[in-house]
Every structure is written in C-alpha cells, then in structure tokens.
Amino acid sequence: MLDIFQALKEKEEASLHLLKEFVELESFSFDKQGVDNLSTHLIRVFSEFPVKAESLKEEHYGNHLRFQLGEGEKQLLLLSHLDTVYPRGTIERMPFQVEGKKARGPGVIDIKASYVMVYHLFELLQQTNLKDYQIVWLLTSDEEVGSPTGIQAVMQEAARSEAVLVLEPATDSGALKTARKGGGKYSIEVHGISAHAGLNPQDGANAIEELAFQITNIASFADWSKGTTINTGEMKGGSLFNVVADYARAEIDVRIEERDEIQRIQQAFDQLRVRNPRTRLNVTGSIYRPPLIKTEFTGRLFKMAERIGRDFDVSLEEALVGGGSDGNYAAETGAPVLDGLGGYGGGAHSPDEFLWIESLAERTAILYGLIQELIQLDGTWR
C-alpha cells in the first residue's frame, strides 16, 4: 500500500484543482438549482470512467446521484452527499484558498473532499477485476437536513450491500467513526391569551411563561449516563414588552446513543401537559435519525482499515460522535457500516472550515485498500 499512498501524494496538484471546482459550485440544501448544477458537473467529470450515472429525481430538494462502477451482483456502497450548510453567495465571503497545508472553503471537508477521493479511487480501480462486484457511490441531496428524501435511496442501496463505507469527514484528530448518536427535533408551541400587561393582566394567559415551564421540564428528559442530551436551540414569542404574550415557540434538539431511548423520549414528549389550563400546547416532532451502534462487523471493518493504515505508518483511532449521517440509516438495514472515512481538518459548518490537504492521499489509500480487501475476502469476513 505504500506505493499507492506515494502515488496519490504525487497527485496533490490535480487533487486541489478538482477540489476547487467542487467547492466553488455551491450546493446549499435548500437550493435545488445549485445542488443539481453540482450533480451535472460530477456526471461530466466522472464520465471519463466506465461508470453508470443515474440522477434520482426530486421535486423540492436536489436530485440524488448514483454512480456504479462494475457489473457484478455483489455490491459495496460508498456514501457521500451533495448538499452543504452554506447558502448561495457564501463563496464570495469564504473563497476557496490554499494556505500552506490547509485548503479552505465552504463544504471543503463536509463533504466535497470525498469527491476527489472517489475520483482517484476510480482511477486506481481501473486495474481491478470487478466482474463479481459493483462499487456504488450514492450522493444524497439533503443529508444536512436529515435526508427526508434521501433516506429511501440510502436504505435501498445499503440493504443490498456487503458493506457501507461512509465518506463523511473523520473527526478533527482523524479518528474513524464506528458509532454515532441518533437525533431528533421537536417543536413546542404554546397558545395563550393576549391582554394589557398593566390594565388587565389577569385576563391574559402568558404563553412565554408556560413555554419556560415546559422547557425546564423537557431539560429533565436528558440522561447523561445513557448519552441522551437535550438542547433548546431556538425560542420565539410575544410581541411587545407591555403585552401578555399569546404565542411562544421553541425548537428542541435531542441526541440519543441507545436505541431504547427512542421510545422513552417519544413518550415523554407525548405526555407533556400544560401547567396553566388557560393555555394550549402543541407538540410536534420525532427522533428522525436512529443511532449508529457499533457492531461486531463494524469493528472488523475498522480493524481492516487500521491494518491498511499501518502499511504506510498511519495510526487510526475510532470514536463515537454526537452528529448523525446517512450511515445511521444504512446501519438500520443490518449492513456493516464504517463512517468517517473522508478527509479531516476542522471547523465544519463554520467560516473556519478547512481540510488538511495530506489527508486526501492518506484516506484515499485506506479506502482503496478496504475495497481491495473486501473484494478478495468475498464475504468470508462476515
């Protein structure tokens, strides 16, 4: 593997050229045109390989994208996504740039570095006999907002795959992700009664006060011993300081590490009741993304990657992280999943997002080694 790693390092200039192209094609989750423009460009770039490219049409979000290399009946699945958290125009304030060993720009690490990795991977795989295997690369268009439409494609492809390799970025320290928390979002609305705060406050029912009570109650649903956290991330309510508020709303983020917590949390939200009977409570939401729990087969995939890394003096670690990915959904099908195989750097989802450039060659070599080993083992590792 050392020779593969060295060859990939020599492609750094070409890698950065590709990366710049991908980053500068902005693809905000809610910008269908931008996401679809990126898809069109990816199809054009990857047309130099003997791949089948399929655009999976969506009406409101961008179209999902599926590439297939090889014609075999057995399948290995690579997961990326097209969308980023950055609205159109961000590139003007946050241009792609190379600063020493770092590359910067919106989405550079989450997740456009993975496109460069797959490009070089497909170059390398031209010398591999894929008569029994197909490598499918699926890019969903709405991962950053929970994959409301992408989930179906992810689970369909994962269900027919021997292994799922998720090209989300590694942790900032470079650790692979063998487990992820699940996530949920709940909206809490309180309808009260408006009144003058000075003349007749007794006629009102303050929605903000009721919401404050509910938020305090909801915070108690957290269980740190089980990895369950609750965060009130947004609050709105009232109109003027001298008016009894007749409406208030809060958005709640929930993260869970254990599957059993899904039912407990849902029941807790379902059982919320108003303290002030003159107010009305409306609760919506759910745990929409299940946890990705480390399994025996996840552990085997990690050990493979660890051995491959040692071939060129890279020491890999594993981690449980709080954020979710499409890997969470893939794992629900029972397919073995290894996440965080993308590049690493820091500042994801922020103006400081950056990629360590050397991680492109390193993680591409590990990805290539994993695929080669999985093909050679031909399912006997499970």
Side-chain angles (χ1 to χ4, degrees):
M1 287 301 300
L2 181 59
D3 57 336
I4 295 293
F5 177 54
Q6 293 295 341
L8 287 166
K9 286 175 66 176
E10 292 172 5
K11 295 178 181 288
E12 184 176 293
E13 185 176 347
S15 296
L16 290 173
H17 178 76
L18 273 176
L19 186 58
K20 183 176 188 291
E21 287 184 13
F22 298 141
V23 170
E24 291 183 345
L25 283 168
E26 296 180 285
S27 53
F28 181 45
S29 302
F30 298 105
D31 180 1
K32 177 174 173 57
Q33 181 183 9
V35 172
D36 290 345
N37 287 344
L38 175 60
S39 286
T40 300
H41 185 69
L42 283 167
I43 291 171
R44 184 164 53 247
V45 169
F46 281 82
S47 66
E48 69 179 80
F49 304 114
V51 296
K52 293 180 180 178
E54 181 182 3
S55 183
L56 309 177
K57 303 299 182 183
E58 290 295 336
E59 183 177 354
H60 299 295
Y61 293 97
N63 301 327
H64 311 300
L65 187 56
R66 181 186 189 273
F67 289 100
Q68 179 182 322
L69 180 68
E71 300 291 340
E73 294 184 1
K74 301 168 187 176
Q75 177 168 304
L76 299 175
L77 178 63
L78 310 177
L79 283 181
S80 296
H81 56 88
L82 296 161
D83 61 323
T84 75
V85 300
Y86 301 96
R88 186 181 295 208
T90 302
I91 195 70
E92 304 299 325
R93 306 185 303 276
M94 188 180 165
F96 178 85
Q97 52 189 323
V98 175
E99 297 176 353
K101 296 182 179 181
K102 296 178 180 180
R104 296 186 178 275
V108 68
I109 187 171
D110 190 8
I111 187 173
K112 294 183 177 181
S114 74
Y115 311 166
V116 180
M117 290 176 55
V118 177
Y119 181 87
H120 292 313
L121 173 69
F122 283 5
E123 282 184 323
L124 292 168
L125 288 175
Q126 299 307 294
Q127 308 304 318
T128 299
N129 184 349
L130 292 175
K131 67 181 180 66
D132 295 326
Y133 275 86
Q134 56 180 298
I135 311 301
V136 171
W137 181 31
L138 179 67
L139 301 97
T140 54
S141 65
D142 52 5
E143 190 273 346
E144 293 291 7
V145 292
S147 300
T149 65
I151 180 175
Q152 182 176 2
V154 169
M155 296 187 74
Q156 284 178 347
E157 296 294 345
R160 60 173 73 110
S161 300
E162 289 192 357
V164 180
L165 307 177
V166 186
L167 306 185
E168 289 283 338
T171 68
D172 289 0
S173 64
L176 304 189
K177 299 170 182 178
T178 52
R180 285 181 178 269
K181 289 188 178 184
K185 177 184 177 182
Y186 290 85
S187 295
I188 312 298
E189 287 186 314
V190 179
H191 297 269
I193 301 172
S194 181
H196 193 292
L199 297 177
N200 59 329
Q202 69 282 357
D203 294 335
N206 195 307
I208 292 176
E209 292 178 1
E210 178 64 32
L211 181 61
F213 168 79
Q214 297 295 336
I215 288 172
T216 302
N217 184 22
I218 290 167
S220 70
F221 299 167
D223 187 339
W224 288 86
S225 70
K226 294 184 176 182
T228 301
T229 60
I230 306 286
N231 179 65
T232 301
E234 182 182 353
M235 284 184 62
K236 294 181 180 179
S239 55
L240 294 170
F241 81 100
N242 58 355
V243 177
V244 176
D246 65 353
Y247 178 79
R249 176 176 63 84
E251 303 293 329
I252 313 292
D253 177 273
V254 180
R255 304 287 166 141
I256 59 167
E257 188 175 327
E258 299 181 9
R259 195 177 304 275
D260 290 347
E261 287 290 86
I262 296 175
Q263 182 177 3
R264 182 184 74 84
I265 290 294
Q266 188 61 55
Q267 288 179 344
F269 276 95
D270 289 344
Q271 292 170 3
L272 289 174
R273 299 292 182 268
V274 295
R275 180 178 63 170
N276 183 345
R278 298 176 67 224
T279 62
R280 179 166 54 86
L281 186 64
N282 183 40
V283 180
T284 58
S286 66
I287 303 292
Y288 60 83
R289 183 179 268 142
L292 192 171
I293 296 171
K294 182 181 177 180
T295 66
E296 175 188 354
F297 298 117
T298 303
R300 292 182 187 179
L301 286 171
F302 175 74
K303 290 298 182 184
M304 286 183 205
E306 193 177 34
R307 287 196 304 272
I308 293 163
R310 283 200 296 266
D311 288 345
F312 45 96
D313 294 325
V314 171
S315 178
L316 291 180
E317 296 181 349
E318 59 181 306
L320 159 70
V321 296
S325 80
D326 282 339
N328 294 56
Y329 298 128
E332 282 293 283
T333 69
V337 175
L338 183 59
D339 205 331
L341 282 161
Y344 54 92
H349 294 195
S350 83
D352 296 321
E353 183 167 343
F354 76 92
L355 169 80
W356 289 113
I357 296 168
E358 64 184 5
S359 71
L360 283 171
E362 176 187 307
R363 295 308 157 105
T364 304
I366 290 170
L367 180 62
Y368 173 72
L370 272 172
I371 289 175
Q372 289 287 358
E373 187 161 342
L374 288 168
I375 291 173
Q376 291 168 13
L377 290 171
D378 197 20
T380 59
W381 65 281
R382 295 182 61 181

